[in-house]
Amino acid sequence: MAALWPDNPRLIGEGVPRLDGLAKASGRAKYPSDERPDGVLFAVVLHSPHAHAKILKIDTSKAEAIPGVKGVYLIANEGATVRYHGEEIAAVAAESEEIARDGCRAIAIEFEVLPHAVTEAQALAEGAPQLTPRGNTQAGRAQEDGDPDAALEEAAARIEGEYSIPVITHVCLETHGQVVRWDGDARMTVWASTQNVDGVESEMAGAFNVPATDVTVLTPVMGGGFGAKFGADTWGVAAGELAKKTGKPVWLFLDRIQEHLTAGNRPSASAKITLAADKDGKLTAMVAETAGTGGISRGAAFPLPYVYEVPNSRRQHTDVRVNGGNARAMRAPGHPQGCAMMESAIDDLAETLGIDPLQMRLNSLAEQDTVPSGSGEALNRTEIYREQIKLGAEAIGWDQRKSRADNAKAEGPLKRGFGMALHQWGGGGRDDKQVTCIINPDGSVELRSATQDIGTACRTILAQIVAEVLGLQTTDINSNIGNSQFPPGQASGGSTTTPSMAPPAYNAALEARDQLFKRIAGALDAEPGDLSVGEGVILVKGEREVPWKDACRKLGTMPINVTGNFSEGLTAQGVGGCQFVDLTVDTETGVVKLNKIVAVQDTGLILNIMTWKSQVYGGVIMGLNYGLFEELVMDPSTGLCLNPDMELYKLAGASDIPEIDIIPFDNEQMRKRGVIGVGEPPTIATAAAIGNAVANALGTRVPHFPMTPMNILNALAKA
């Protein structure tokens, strides 16, 4: 088995275009929602129009009588309580989506409308309705280190700040859903938009009491998940039930409104923070009361303190239950919230001390913060941060930054500001995943795994690894993934896909190569040890070149079929980075214009620099949306969501995207660490850095995200 990646790779690290890029860009790629099996029916979900209500009666007879309606399935029955606007009640399958919607409208439901609390303020108010048997809050275990009270008394300076960031949703361009077809009574095929092919297989098998081997889940490509698509969900089971009932394949994907309401969200976060430091700007104490809502039954935890060393701290966290759809994992769960709270407070404290916030961050990094390296010894994370901060500061022009006081006194309505933030993440691999490599007698090469490509270029990277080992081009490899009948693949969460799948792909290719040498050596008048791989050729004793396809013909009729496993030494975990923002705020309108964002990021061995940068670009763009635009707005009076669409739920347009300068922190030391995932860390620090740049520009903190004109003008008015 392999111990290390190649020292002088030919393809690994290069910018290889996505194998499926042209198909996706041209519209030829077939996403799960594009599937139309013969005889397919279209299903639509009926969701609750109330924030909180008990279902007294349901009558589906009128829906079932509509011509073209073929089946109705109840997700919630009489006597059930719906707990938020958008919760699923029923699904209707029909010959067209329009008829299915008519069927949903024809279902007669008698509700007993119950009192609701859709905001944290409502849920915490005196006399609020009790939403769960345990009440509307759940306190987490208190955290305490050192003696924060004594440290606060001894501190040279302290600030007390309140900060908040709202609930946002994933806004996957391909909404949640599946196409389900039964082949007889026991075998099922599911085309799923999922981050977890094997997980959907297991869930559907369990729901219908059939062996997992009789369920085939296919996800050749999918249109975004960001953490929300790990299971079949109620609508997947509903599609299966309707397909079984009608004897026809059923297509069921949520509409855009339902996607916002019930398909998951990132929890809110709020914090009352007292933060203190010594005269040199080194953090000494923190006391925090934090809260957030993850919906009707999910938590809203986030890390705090974040990144920096605070020797004396105390924190009490409370999860607040509201009549809202439940949270799901969303790109670096908890970290963007913790980063925004911590980075806002440390910036405010630096201002109070009159210290450059960059220097204060350097002063407050842990002295003994380490991450594992590929060679066994630990690397000093603080030294890595120092180098990254130096690179980022130079790229953004940090020396042009003025103090808040100077910016506040500057003439004219346009104020320029600079901000920064640090982040950290794990990104390690799992050791139970596999990849099969097949070398056919005609010279074609195929790799197989159940893992899926959620847009990160996993398909391309795995092919790139195999091509590296076999002396081929990436385009020579048929990278066949996203099929649950293939060897087990990693679910795409936690930035774990690439570090989980790259080692078994590498090991499978190495073993397949070695088996090829053994099988063909005799036909080439050589020993297996005499053979090596050149570019498109097999080398005999380093001299004679045999074209790849000619060499493979020596296999006869039997292909080589090898399944590779994970091995230690090829991956690591623990990454970090920093981001810097240069922006301009119009103090008359409250509009923020981003001028430039710099993102410095480390992730060990970079397998494909082109797709690596694509991940960082995407993370930064998601982060700037979080910082400037996104918020799921609930109406306290009606209990309804006011912006479950793509019109009023604001996202950045092309003109809102600034220059984004991506700096890979890539050196020999980093490469020796092995492969580490990069999907999540680049989105963590962006919003926090934007918030700090706005505060620098205005001369006052805007405590509530996003940095909308309303929030900015309110902060200016209060100041």
Side-chain angles (χ1 to χ4, degrees):
M1 302 296 283
L4 295 172
W5 294 100
D7 288 330
N8 299 297
R10 177 177 53 91
L11 289 175
I12 289 175
E14 295 299 311
V16 176
R18 297 170 187 264
L19 292 177
D20 53 10
L22 183 58
K24 288 180 174 179
S26 63
R28 293 201 307 270
K30 204 170 186 182
Y31 287 77
S33 55
D34 295 325
E35 291 292 339
R36 299 291 188 272
D38 290 343
V40 67
L41 299 176
F42 296 87
V44 170
V45 171
L46 173 66
H47 64 259
S48 171
H50 303 292
H52 196 198
K54 185 175 182 179
I55 299 173
L56 302 178
K57 291 182 181 179
I58 299 181
D59 183 357
T60 63
S61 58
K62 289 184 178 178
E64 292 167 326
I66 294 175
V69 170
K70 300 299 182 182
V72 177
Y73 173 72
L74 292 181
I75 299 170
N77 292 291
E78 291 181 357
T81 297
V82 287
R83 304 162 298 166
Y84 57 89
H85 175 211
E87 188 163 14
E88 312 88 69
I89 295 175
V92 176
E95 292 173 352
S96 71
E97 193 173 348
E98 293 75 15
I99 295 173
R101 294 194 182 282
D102 290 341
C104 285
R105 284 189 286 267
I107 296 175
I109 305 178
E110 183 180 338
F111 291 101
E112 177 190 350
V113 178
L114 303 172
H116 64 258
V118 297
T119 67
E120 292 163 76
Q122 273 189 310
L124 296 173
E126 186 177 348
Q130 183 166 307
L131 304 182
T132 74
R134 295 185 177 182
N136 295 353
T137 62
Q138 181 173 337
R141 187 174 65 183
Q143 305 168 211
E144 185 159 351
D145 290 300
D147 189 345
D149 295 320
L152 286 174
E153 289 297 322
E154 297 169 2
R158 58 194 275 182
I159 58 100
E160 295 181 4
E162 295 188 21
Y163 314 98
S164 69
I165 198 160
V167 172
I168 69 168
T169 68
H170 299 72
V171 200
C172 309
L173 286 185
E174 181 179 43
T175 62
H176 285 63
Q178 291 89 6
V179 180
V180 181
R181 182 185 69 202
W182 285 90
D183 302 306
D185 294 329
R187 298 189 65 85
M188 180 193 303
T189 301
V190 182
W191 291 268
S193 183
T194 183
Q195 297 172 242
N196 188 5
V197 164
D198 284 336
V200 171
E201 177 192 73
S202 177
E203 189 175 337
M204 293 296 276
F208 292 95
N209 196 28
V210 297
T213 52
D214 289 340
V215 178
T216 300
V217 178
L218 301 173
T219 307
V221 291
M222 57 91 74
F226 312 116
K229 292 180 177 177
F230 278 94
D233 289 305
T234 56
W235 42 84
V237 175
E241 292 284 3
L242 288 167
K244 194 165 191 177
K245 182 177 182 178
T246 62
K248 293 180 177 293
V250 169
W251 178 101
L252 198 166
F253 283 79
L254 301 183
D255 63 25
R256 182 55 58 186
I257 290 174
Q258 292 164 341
E259 183 75 9
H260 277 288
L261 298 178
T262 194
N265 55 66
R266 175 182 284 165
S268 64
S270 62
K272 296 179 180 179
I273 297 177
T274 301
L275 193 65
D278 62 21
K279 60 181 177 60
D280 297 320
K282 181 176 176 60
L283 294 177
T284 58
M286 184 195 79
V287 174
E289 295 178 13
T290 63
T293 182
I296 191 61
S297 64
R298 295 278 174 85
F302 56 89
L304 196 75
Y306 188 70
V307 173
Y308 306 101
E309 184 175 60
V310 185
N312 305 284
S313 67
R314 181 170 61 247
R315 178 194 181 189
Q316 179 64 57
H317 179 77
T318 301
D319 289 328
V320 182
R321 310 300 188 211
V322 300
N323 291 117
N326 273 327
R328 298 188 178 193
M330 184 173 181
R331 207 166 185 175
H335 283 239
Q337 299 99 306
C339 184
M341 302 298 104
M342 187 74 199
E343 291 285 351
S344 296
I346 196 173
D347 234 54
D348 290 349
L349 182 55
E351 186 68 22
T352 298
L353 278 164
I355 293 176
D356 184 338
L358 184 153
Q359 187 59 48
M360 186 163 184
R361 286 170 169 82
L362 292 175
N363 295 346
S364 299
L365 291 168
E367 293 181 9
Q368 298 298 323
D369 186 7
T370 60
V371 291
S373 73
S375 54
E377 75 275 8
L379 300 178
N380 189 314
R381 164 53 65 189
T382 294
E383 290 305 313
I384 296 172
Y385 273 137
R386 291 183 185 280
E387 294 181 49
Q388 291 174 333
I389 290 170
K390 183 179 180 180
L391 290 171
E394 183 177 343
I396 201 69
W398 190 259
D399 57 356
Q400 302 174 63
R401 178 187 178 276
K402 298 177 181 178
S403 70
R404 291 187 191 178
D406 287 344
N407 283 333
K409 291 184 291 186
E411 294 184 2
L414 299 181
K415 310 287 188 178
R416 188 182 183 190
F418 292 82
M420 66 173 292
L422 273 62
H423 63 266
Q424 61 189 18
W425 189 247
R430 305 294 183 263
D431 63 4
D432 58 346
K433 309 307 173 187
Q434 297 179 323
V435 174
T436 292
C437 180
I438 301 169
I439 301 176
N440 293 301
D442 65 355
S444 61
V445 179
E446 180 185 6
L447 63 86
R448 293 177 177 176
S449 178
T451 197
Q452 54 291 307
D453 190 334
I454 63 170
T456 60
C458 177
R459 171 180 282 105
T460 304
I461 288 167
L462 296 184
Q464 199 170 342
I465 292 168
V466 173
E468 174 78 51
V469 172
L470 300 181
L472 302 174
Q473 296 302 314
T474 306
T475 50
D476 294 328
I477 311 300
N478 177 13
S479 190
N480 198 351
I481 62 175
N483 184 328
S484 65
Q485 297 299 309
F486 291 161
Q490 176 64 14
S492 295
S495 305
T496 60
T497 310
T498 300
S500 297
M501 303 311 303
Y506 187 47
N507 291 329
L510 287 172
E511 189 172 343
R513 180 201 64 189
D514 292 346
Q515 285 198 20
L516 175 68
F517 289 169
K518 290 178 183 177
R519 293 267 301 273
I520 68 174
L524 297 176
D525 298 323
E527 295 295 323
D530 296 332
L531 304 184
S532 60
V533 167
E535 192 165 347
V537 298
I538 299 297
L539 297 173
V540 183
K541 297 181 180 180
E543 298 175 354
R544 180 158 58 100
E545 294 185 354
V546 181
W548 171 262
K549 290 188 176 181
D550 291 347
C552 290
R553 290 191 185 99
K554 309 295 185 185
L555 290 172
T557 60
M558 292 297 293
I560 290 169
N561 190 315
V562 172
T563 297
N565 297 292
F566 187 92
S567 62
E568 298 294 336
L570 296 173
T571 68
Q573 63 177 346
V575 298
C578 58
Q579 293 190 16
F580 290 77
V581 172
D582 170 5
L583 54 73
T584 302
V585 185
D586 187 327
T587 56
E588 293 179 344
T589 64
V591 172
V592 175
K593 180 183 182 299
L594 297 172
N595 302 318
K596 184 177 182 179
I597 296 176
V598 173
V600 187
Q601 183 67 50
D602 67 85
T603 54
L605 175 66
I606 297 173
L607 294 174
N608 184 326
I609 189 62
M610 182 184 294
T611 59
W612 185 93
K613 284 187 174 182
S614 177
Q615 284 294 287
V616 181
Y617 277 122
V620 170
I621 291 169
M622 180 174 276
L624 73 84
N625 274 291
Y626 193 36
L628 289 179
F629 301 110
E630 291 187 80
E631 180 175 8
L632 194 68
V633 181
M634 305 299 293
D635 179 17
S637 299
T638 64
L640 305 184
C641 179
L642 296 178
N643 62 336
D645 52 39
M646 296 286 273
E647 178 188 9
L648 299 177
Y649 186 93
K650 297 300 183 184
L651 293 167
S655 61
D656 298 307
I657 308 301
E659 175 190 355
I660 301 174
D661 184 4
I662 295 171
I663 302 175
F665 191 73
D666 181 32
N667 55 40
E668 188 61 28
Q669 189 181 52
M670 290 293 108
R671 290 190 284 273
K672 285 183 177 179
R673 296 190 67 199
V675 179
I676 312 174
V678 73
E680 284 156 293
T683 203
I684 296 170
T686 319
I690 288 172
N692 286 336
V694 168
N696 175 242
L698 299 178
T700 188
R701 170 65 59 186
V702 180
H704 306 301
F705 284 87
M707 298 292 116
T708 59
M710 181 181 74
N711 285 340
I712 286 173
L713 294 176
N714 284 344
L716 285 172
K718 187 175 181 180

